[in-house]
Amino acid sequence: MGFRKLRRFNLAVGVAVTAYIATSGAAALIPFSFGQEQLRLLFFPQEVPYAWMTTLGSATYWLLFLLTLVIVPIAAIATEKIFASATVSFPDEVPLWIPLVLSGAMIAFCVHRLAQAGGLSASAAWDQSLCYQDKILRRVELFKLLGNHYFSFVYSSLPIVACYLLARGLLTREKIALGACAGVSLIVLWLDVATIQKAPALLYVLVLGLTLALSGCGLVRSACATIAVGGTIYVALALSQFCGVENRGHPERTALESSPLASHPGPSPMVPLAESSSVLGSPSAADGEPSESGFHGGLAKAIRILRSSVFRMAVGIPYYVQIFSDPDQRCGIVRPTLGGLLAPQPCYPATKVFAVIYPAITYTTGSQPAGVSLSGYAEGGPFYAVLATAIAGSLIGLISALTRRNDPMSIAMQVAGCLYAYYMTQVPLTATLLDSYGLVWLIAPLVAMRALTWMISINLQK
């Protein structure tokens, strides 16, 4: 299957629905005994306050859970049909030097910032003398030292430029573009690893795989390449996550007792991904479960890891609904953090919920993220939850309507739309637009490339 067949349906809507089900779908199990038992095992010995969760399984709970699955496709498809006749024509090919200069400038800035923070070697990511908590605290420190623009370039702008270069190289057979994409990719992965993060690196590999498929390389081949590269990166980073003592013991228990996977202060725009959600770990023999070895021990560990992955973000949904069903607890619409010009917001839903779920974590500020609909409820109540979800869905539809051509710019824009669709299942509306992973930073390099090309063509005509 190639580019044209992929475009027969709204790809970004598919990404949004799939991401939401994958990250939050387990919330549908929590109102029932099976799901509650899974959470009990996940949090053991900490008790899950089911008696306090009076809204669990209520009409409000189910409406908020289903909001993304219903409103996003309707809003996206309706908007796409409205703008179906709209065409965006880009007659002038972007000179190759423009994306090369833009990516070079962004890389130079990021390298400079990382060097200033003492993280250019990325040694903290695989240093086995540093244990899990030490690495997490170093990650939090880097968030503060590097600043918003570093992560805006690494999470959003550079990946989209790389996707453009990859699509251009495949469609026009430009070897320089392919070589530039390879170089940018290595640097982006290095910059991700230097901040001790797995999720952004894996997400970057996924968007390159999507670009391969949209550029006509075939879904099967693209998927195989993506899985091979992504799996290798994940295993390499996972093996270096714990120090020698933890690797000989129970690293999953250490994770539960030590630190959130991506804790950060206040409404940080830095880590929107599933990796930022919580400290969900796994029970060990110390929790009262029998210690096993061999096949049964491996199976038990696999079940614990699966349970942690499935409930990683879903665990926050009943807490969001319960806490913010009280209007006095709502935080107000989260202010954008573009450029870091505004003071931190005193009430931020993700950190507020985290503190309730994990009261024992006090040495740093953690985050339990939620998508646009649930975050909207936490910010402004039911009406804003519906409005924010509809706006996000409409933006997905608009992007899809304007990216129907089979050219590098349209492919890169479509990938940006898919990334936006993914992020809207993780963070509030304003964050999906203006934070370091926001739509503004995703499309900014494409707009800059087109604007510079237009300016050059105007000057040549004079």
Side-chain angles (χ1 to χ4, degrees), residues 23 47 101 118 139 200 213 218 226 271 277 300 330 342 344 378 385 443 447:
T23 59
E47 293 290 334
V101 169
R139 182 194 297 177
T226 302
V271 186
S277 58
R330 293 169 189 161
L342 298 177
I443 66 173
V447 173

Side-chain angles (χ1 to χ4, degrees), residues 3-353:
F3 177 88
R4 295 186 182 279
K5 290 185 178 180
L6 276 177
R7 292 298 182 84
R8 289 178 184 174
F9 64 97
N10 192 312
L11 184 60
V13 169
V15 170
V17 171
T18 301
Y20 183 74
I21 293 174
T23 59
S24 302
L29 301 175
I30 298 176
F32 306 102
S33 58
F34 173 79
Q36 292 179 16
E37 176 64 13
Q38 299 308 307
L39 286 193
R40 186 193 70 80
L41 293 172
L42 193 63
F43 279 96
F44 189 87
Q46 176 181 321
E47 293 290 334
V48 181
Y50 289 119
W52 167 73
M53 295 179 183
T54 58
T55 58
L56 183 62
S58 65
T60 302
Y61 181 91
W62 289 112
L63 287 173
L64 288 171
F65 172 72
L66 295 172
L67 202 58
T68 297
L69 297 177
V70 176
I71 298 295
V72 168
I74 292 175
I77 293 171
T79 305
E80 188 174 8
K81 288 186 178 297
I82 292 172
F83 289 92
S85 59
T87 57
V88 180
S89 178
F90 299 131
D92 298 323
E93 182 59 60
V94 175
L96 185 57
W97 66 265
I98 292 180
L100 296 182
V101 169
L102 284 176
S103 59
M106 289 187 286
I107 289 171
F109 173 84
C110 292
V111 168
H112 174 68
R113 294 291 296 174
L114 197 57
Q116 284 185 321
L120 191 58
S121 68
S123 60
W126 57 75
D127 187 349
Q128 294 294 290
S129 67
L130 294 177
C131 291
Y132 188 87
Q133 181 170 322
D134 298 323
K135 292 184 178 182
I136 296 304
L137 291 176
R138 173 57 175 165
R139 182 194 297 177
V140 174
E141 181 185 25
L142 287 172
F143 290 158
K144 299 175 181 178
L145 293 175
L146 295 173
N148 189 62
H149 287 116
Y150 174 93
F151 291 97
S152 299
F153 293 155
V154 176
Y155 288 166
S156 303
S157 299
L158 278 171
I160 290 301
V161 173
C163 290
Y164 170 83
L165 291 170
L166 178 59
R168 178 167 177 159
L170 292 173
L171 294 177
T172 64
R173 309 299 182 188
E174 286 186 270
K175 294 183 179 179
I176 296 178
L178 290 175
C181 174
V184 171
S185 297
L186 291 174
I187 294 172
V188 168
L189 291 173
W190 184 268
L191 295 174
D192 284 331
V193 171
T195 52
I196 320 177
Q197 298 183 83
K198 294 192 301 292
L202 295 176
L203 188 60
Y204 178 67
V205 173
L206 288 176
V207 300
L208 289 181
L210 177 61
T211 305
L212 286 173
L214 292 173
S215 300
C217 290
L219 283 179
V220 175
R221 285 182 295 176
S222 301
C224 290
T226 302
I227 292 172
V229 176
T232 301
I233 292 174
Y234 178 83
V235 170
L237 294 179
L239 290 176
S240 63
Q241 191 168 8
F242 303 100
C243 64
V245 173
E246 291 169 334
N247 284 328
R248 290 191 295 272
H250 295 280
E252 64 273 17
R253 179 62 181 169
T254 304
L256 178 62
E257 292 176 340
S258 61
S259 171
L261 285 176
S263 55
H264 51 85
S268 170
M270 305 307 180
V271 186
L273 311 173
E275 188 173 81
S276 67
S277 58
S278 67
V279 293
L280 294 183
S282 307
S284 68
D287 300 325
E289 291 192 354
S291 178
E292 301 182 51
S293 59
F295 173 78
H296 293 291
L299 180 61
K301 185 173 182 179
I303 292 174
R304 293 196 296 267
I305 293 173
L306 178 62
R307 184 186 296 126
S308 176
S309 300
V310 169
F311 285 91
R312 192 183 193 89
M313 281 192 62
V315 68
I317 292 181
Y319 288 88
Y320 269 87
V321 180
Q322 182 65 41
I323 294 170
F324 299 109
S325 61
D326 180 359
D328 293 335
Q329 294 293 322
R330 293 169 189 161
C331 293
I333 297 175
V334 174
R335 297 189 297 265
T337 56
L338 183 63
L341 299 177
L342 298 177
Q345 187 163 314
C347 175
Y348 188 64
T351 56
K352 188 171 185 175
V353 172

